[in-house]
Amino acid sequence: MAVDRQKKFSIGNWKMNTDLADALVLSQGVRDGVEGINGVEIILCPPFVWLYPIAETLKHTPKNLSLGAQNMHWQEKGPFTGEVSPMMLQKVVKYVILGHSERRFHFNESDELINDKVQSAFEHGLIPVLCIGERSKTNSGSDEMINQLVRDLNEVSEQNMSNLIVAYEPVWAIGTGDAATAEYAGDVAKKIRRKITELYNEKVAENLPILYGGSVVKSNIAEYMDEPDIDGALVGGASLKINDFVEISKEIGRYR
Ligand code: PGA
């Protein structure tokens, strides 16, 4: 179950939003809207509690629509009150967002912990969407971002690198409307690819899907997709509106 850059990616991170009725309307609306679109894998990441009802309603869904979780624990089971394990997710989702900045900074997730989660996702056949990004715009903080990348991928095998998606999300651009310019995001994506070449090799780097996230909307998505190193988007706010997310996904699909 490998990923590559032949297909592009449109990921909707709903965060802690929606009630059950909203979640069903949103997921079915997206399903209907993206039917027949080729060249893009569309991944909905609702809150944990809606995963199963959505999975049930999307059973006969087009092949280009999948589900992802927003987080997970790295162990299979045990005394971890309030946590959700990879074993529980395995049957319901194909993807899992790990290392989102809201987890890093509101819940103190360290790179060491994120690395454990990344490794556990591979062991359980889940594809991690690893989020990295600097906090400060002025620092243009690429060192912080590259350090996250290196630490979060500690001891990840070359083989597992073909089951990974990286999302570059500068923290200052998330939910602020202050999106990074496409040129800036494209340069960072290139930098990530260079680092992966250094850590692994060119083949691994060339195969790795790298997404941009942070205030992506339907009016700016094409600019990001024009960047040769950007393979899709991780969308927060705009993924909560059926029409916006469908439009974004369609646009991404044009760049196959
Ligand atoms: P945003 O969020 O699109 O609302 O900026 C992106 C994210 O946090 O993944």
Side-chain angles (χ1 to χ4, degrees):
M1 145 161 110
V3 290
D4 60 39
R5 297 174 70 201
Q6 299 301 317
K7 255 195 189 172
K8 302 301 175 189
F9 295 87
S10 178
I11 307 184
N13 175 12
W14 297 5
K15 309 191 182 184
M16 198 172 72
N17 293 298
T18 66
D19 59 21
L20 178 58
D22 297 335
L24 293 175
V25 168
L26 183 52
S27 53
Q28 288 163 18
V30 171
R31 176 196 61 193
D32 296 344
V34 302
E35 205 175 336
I37 303 180
N38 296 313
V40 54
E41 172 97 352
I42 298 143
I43 304 162
L44 302 179
C45 304
F48 284 128
V49 281
W50 310 148
L51 280 172
Y52 190 72
I54 291 176
E56 283 292 296
T57 62
L58 296 186
K59 248 182 196 158
H60 306 292
T61 212
K63 277 215 178 68
N64 61 356
L65 186 61
S66 312
L67 290 179
Q70 297 175 16
N71 179 35
M72 67 172 205
H73 195 274
W74 54 280
Q75 293 213 38
E76 289 192 342
K77 58 181 178 174
F80 303 104
T81 303
E83 291 292 314
V84 174
S85 91
M87 263 193 1
M88 298 167 187
L89 291 173
Q90 224 169 25
K91 298 273 186 319
V92 194
V93 307
K94 196 167 153 192
Y95 299 89
V96 57
I97 297 173
L98 296 175
H100 191 281
S101 62
E102 287 151 16
R103 303 279 338 155
R104 291 178 191 267
F105 305 123
H106 298 317
F107 301 97
N108 295 321
E109 289 199 5
S110 65
D111 288 309
E112 199 183 10
L113 178 80
I114 294 162
N115 177 242
D116 284 340
K117 293 184 177 195
V118 167
Q119 296 283 16
S120 173
F122 292 134
E123 280 162 28
H124 294 88
L126 296 165
I127 296 173
V129 179
L130 173 64
C131 300
I132 54 173
E134 75 278 3
R135 269 169 291 190
S136 151
K137 191 174 185 177
T138 44
N139 160 25
S140 85
S142 297
D143 288 350
E144 185 183 1
M145 183 271 303
I146 289 290
N147 284 340
Q148 291 170 351
L149 181 72
V150 172
R151 293 185 187 134
D152 299 346
L153 294 180
N154 186 35
E155 294 193 6
V156 167
S157 68
E158 181 175 338
Q159 197 189 343
N160 276 334
M161 285 301 288
S162 61
N163 292 316
L164 176 80
I165 296 172
V166 168
Y168 167 59
E169 296 206 307
V171 180
W172 47 267
I174 295 179
T176 59
D178 184 19
T181 64
E183 193 188 356
Y184 174 88
D187 283 350
V188 176
K190 199 176 296 158
K191 197 163 177 180
I192 293 171
R193 234 177 266 293
R194 267 206 303 273
K195 191 68 195 178
I196 297 293
T197 307
E198 207 180 295
L199 294 172
Y200 295 88
N201 56 55
E202 204 164 322
K203 190 165 159 245
V204 169
E206 275 310 308
N207 189 61
L208 176 71
I210 300 177
L211 318 186
Y212 169 73
S215 297
V216 170
V217 287
K218 57 184 179 179
S219 58
N220 66 15
I221 183 62
E223 293 167 32
Y224 297 108
M225 295 308 296
D226 277 335
E227 292 294 323
D229 282 296
I230 296 183
D231 304 302
L234 178 51
V235 186
S239 74
L240 294 168
K241 297 180 202 132
I242 297 171
N243 180 51
D244 291 36
F245 189 61
V246 167
E247 287 305 313
I248 289 169
S249 302
K250 280 185 179 167
E251 190 60 36
I252 293 174
R254 293 199 183 101
Y255 287 80
R256 174 156 63 151

